[in-house]
Amino acid sequence: MNPPADARPRLSRGTRLSFDRVRHAHVLLYPEGVLFPNQTAIDVLRRCDGSNTVAAIADDLRHDYRAVELTDIAELLTQLSARGLLELDSN
Amino acid sequence: MPGATPEPPLGMLAELTHRCPLQCGYCSNPLELVGRAEELNTAQWCDVISQARELGVLQLHLSGGEPLQRPDLAEIVRHARREDCYVNLVTSGFGLTPERGGQLADAGVEHVQLSLQDADELAADAVAGATGAHRRKRAAADVITALGLPLTINVVLHRGNVDRIPDIVELAEAMGADRLELAHTQYYGWALRNRVRLMPTAAQLSAAEAAVAEARARSSNLRIGYVPADYHETYPKPCMHGWAARQLTVAPNGVALPCPAASVIDSLPVVNVRDTSLRSIWYEAESFQAFRGTSWMREPCVSCARRQLDFGGCRCQAFQLTGDPTHADPVCSLSPHRHLIDELVANAELGQALYLEPRRMRSAAAPR
């Protein structure tokens, strides 16, 4: 199920996006795990600060991404949320 | 020896000390515990952490023993954060006063794993070997959650507590945990010594799996991890995702190991961060190269379709049970040594939970 458009996603407590100077790559660090996000995921994760709505993030990325990729963004948010890395509270 | 250069490590387990106020009989620390006088000092640990980050380590697990026994813990945490490691504290909670917790949060601890022995207070204190242990852990959880730090409760499961999973889940929720890690005992170190008293029955395991499934379906806020009892499985665990593939361990005395249990394989040369750079250890040390990749394998592993899935299982377990670390993990149903596991499993159906030999430093009077 895709997140509601008015949800304001933010990284969960203990999860942060960082840049690894050794691998020259962005990394998502969380309790006991590391993810290497692709460029789309990096662009999305950077905007997940608890103030931007899903709709606003999609709008913001519309310049750089095609419609099909915007569907992927919703899916990405859902997946990250299912893994406990993202909170999707809509209040 | 593998041909390809290994990837950089993702994580390092820093066993800051083996000292611990608890005496859990399932501890996976080696029987030969390192004393205080042999521990790396603050500057040495900070140097190891800097080297680890330079090598590619992103996740730093500060563990032990009990890391709070080190007065310099906050200093080590601060250094690790300056190096931009993700800092995970693995603790019994003993000594985690509000003041100490505040210092560690300020220094930059990002996640805390708190061990819990049981949901039953008396049983928990008996396993920990310390009266009041259970209550102190609950107080430590309050300190952690009040600081806003994410909390994982770690519970080692065994014959004596595995029937209480529903109560353990309820307690973890009451403690404000984000995650609960239910891990069946892995038989290394002290746990191997106490194996016969720790092993659950097949009926207990079935009930445990049902309880976990039920709790996962019911609890939306608590994420529950479950590490199965590998002796009862058909295939071995993909131990460490392969030998020296993603993680390394540094013991309190500076000995670097591909996994926390690897010191049991006494044919491996000992390498220490006091003498050798971490980069050289990761890429060149004989102990790290020994079982990398698949070229060390023999049958049934070498021709097995699963060799890239479970990497032949655990080298330490193969060594401990068969005497040869290049054998398949005897847990594997394809192993010619599987009968060893079957006998232990059958024996567990008869056994009873009795006295666990408490984990302790050897004193001069203790027999070898």
Side-chain angles (χ1 to χ4, degrees):
Chain A
M1 202 176 74
N2 284 341
D6 65 345
R8 298 176 192 276
R10 63 182 151 77
L11 296 181
S12 301
R13 280 193 307 172
T15 302
R16 67 179 163 96
L17 186 65
S18 183
F19 185 78
D20 176 8
R21 63 174 193 267
V22 177
R23 292 176 180 79
H24 305 287
H26 282 88
V27 288
L28 189 66
L29 303 172
Y30 56 97
E32 293 187 271
V34 178
L35 278 181
F36 294 92
N38 61 24
Q39 192 55 51
T40 311
I42 294 164
D43 286 342
V44 172
L45 287 166
R46 275 187 176 144
R47 289 167 172 80
C48 294
D49 58 2
S51 63
N52 295 317
T53 61
V54 172
I57 292 172
D59 265 352
D60 203 16
L61 295 175
R62 213 175 291 278
H63 306 288
D64 302 323
Y65 290 90
R66 291 172 300 157
V68 60
E69 289 162 331
L70 291 173
T71 327
D72 292 346
I73 288 170
E75 195 176 313
L76 175 74
L77 293 173
T78 307
Q79 282 173 5
L80 290 169
S81 161
R83 293 182 69 160
L85 304 178
L86 204 62
E87 284 166 23
L88 288 172
D89 309 335
S90 44
N91 44 33
Chain B
M1 291 298 108
T5 307
E7 294 286 316
L10 289 170
M12 179 167 80
L13 177 69
E15 294 180 339
L16 298 179
T17 178
H18 274 161
R19 289 174 285 141
C20 184
L22 305 188
Q23 300 182 315
C24 309
Y26 51 67
C27 186
S28 61
N29 279 165
L31 299 179
E32 295 275 343
L33 295 166
V34 170
R36 179 182 210 153
E38 301 164 76
E39 291 175 7
L40 297 183
N41 63 30
T42 313
Q44 286 168 319
W45 273 118
C46 289
D47 180 49
V48 170
I49 289 164
S50 296
Q51 289 187 55
R53 185 68 273 277
E54 204 52 48
L55 188 56
V57 166
L58 291 161
Q59 289 263 354
L60 180 66
H61 309 286
L62 298 176
S63 179
E66 173 48 64
L68 290 164
Q69 296 274 319
R70 296 271 311 209
D72 56 358
L73 180 58
E75 196 177 337
I76 292 171
V77 170
R78 196 171 290 111
H79 179 82
R81 285 305 306 276
R82 266 201 303 268
E83 293 284 0
D84 204 24
C85 288
Y86 185 94
V87 178
N88 176 32
L89 177 65
V90 187
T91 178
S92 70
F94 262 61
L96 195 64
T97 59
E99 295 72 25
R100 196 89 197 275
Q103 288 163 12
L104 291 165
D106 286 345
V109 166
E110 298 182 87
H111 171 235
V112 182
Q113 286 178 259
L114 178 67
S115 67
L116 195 70
Q117 277 63 27
D118 205 321
D120 180 88
E121 183 172 344
L122 288 177
D125 287 359
V127 166
T131 306
H134 192 67
R135 258 177 293 163
R136 291 175 72 166
K137 281 162 180 287
R138 297 205 58 170
D142 289 343
V143 168
I144 295 160
T145 53
L147 289 164
L149 290 171
L151 170 65
T152 296
I153 300 286
N154 287 353
V155 181
V156 175
L157 297 175
H158 52 83
R159 172 183 290 265
N161 66 6
V162 69
D163 297 330
R164 282 189 286 276
I165 287 178
D167 304 317
I168 291 170
V169 171
E170 197 175 310
L171 180 55
E173 284 171 334
M175 289 166 86
D178 304 89
R179 295 164 72 243
L180 170 64
E181 183 84 12
L182 297 168
H184 279 279
T185 307
Q186 308 289 306
Y187 299 108
Y188 306 101
W190 293 87
L192 181 65
R193 177 167 285 202
N194 283 311
R195 180 173 56 192
V196 68
R197 302 138 184 153
L198 290 166
M199 274 185 72
T201 64
Q204 282 186 306
L205 288 176
S206 303
E209 279 159 28
V212 169
E214 196 274 329
R216 278 178 176 156
R218 184 180 52 77
S219 175
S220 55
N221 292 326
L222 183 70
R223 302 178 64 77
I224 303 175
Y226 184 71
V227 177
D230 66 336
Y231 280 26
H232 288 77
E233 298 285 306
T234 307
Y235 295 112
K237 60 197 171 199
C239 200
M240 305 301 290
H241 304 282
W243 186 263
R246 296 188 185 178
Q247 305 242 6
L248 74 162
T249 295
V250 178
N253 56 357
V255 170
L257 299 162
C259 81
S263 61
V264 300
I265 307 179
D266 49 16
S267 57
L268 294 176
V270 175
V271 61
N272 196 303
V273 297
R274 295 177 203 258
D275 320 312
T276 312
S277 76
L278 212 57
R279 180 172 296 276
S280 167
I281 290 171
W282 180 256
Y283 289 107
E284 293 159 23
E286 194 180 330
S287 53
F288 280 66
Q289 293 283 66
F291 311 116
R292 271 196 174 123
T294 54
S295 58
W296 56 271
M297 287 180 176
R298 55 159 87 183
E299 293 296 350
C301 298
V302 71
S303 63
C304 183
R306 296 178 56 86
R307 67 185 180 280
Q308 298 289 2
L309 292 177
D310 54 31
F311 319 104
C314 173
R315 297 304 87 227
C316 302
Q317 193 144 279
F319 175 78
Q320 285 179 160
L321 274 70
T322 75
D324 183 339
T326 66
H327 279 143
D329 185 332
V331 160
C332 185
S333 55
L334 303 171
S335 160
H337 299 98
R338 172 69 208 193
H339 64 94
L340 298 171
I341 298 287
D342 289 336
E343 284 156 21
L344 291 162
V345 167
N347 189 46
E349 298 298 316
L350 312 169
Q352 292 177 27
L354 292 170
Y355 170 76
L356 296 185
E357 183 176 340
R359 168 207 195 273
R360 50 168 70 115
M361 302 261 177
R362 187 195 295 133
S363 68
R368 278 197 77 95

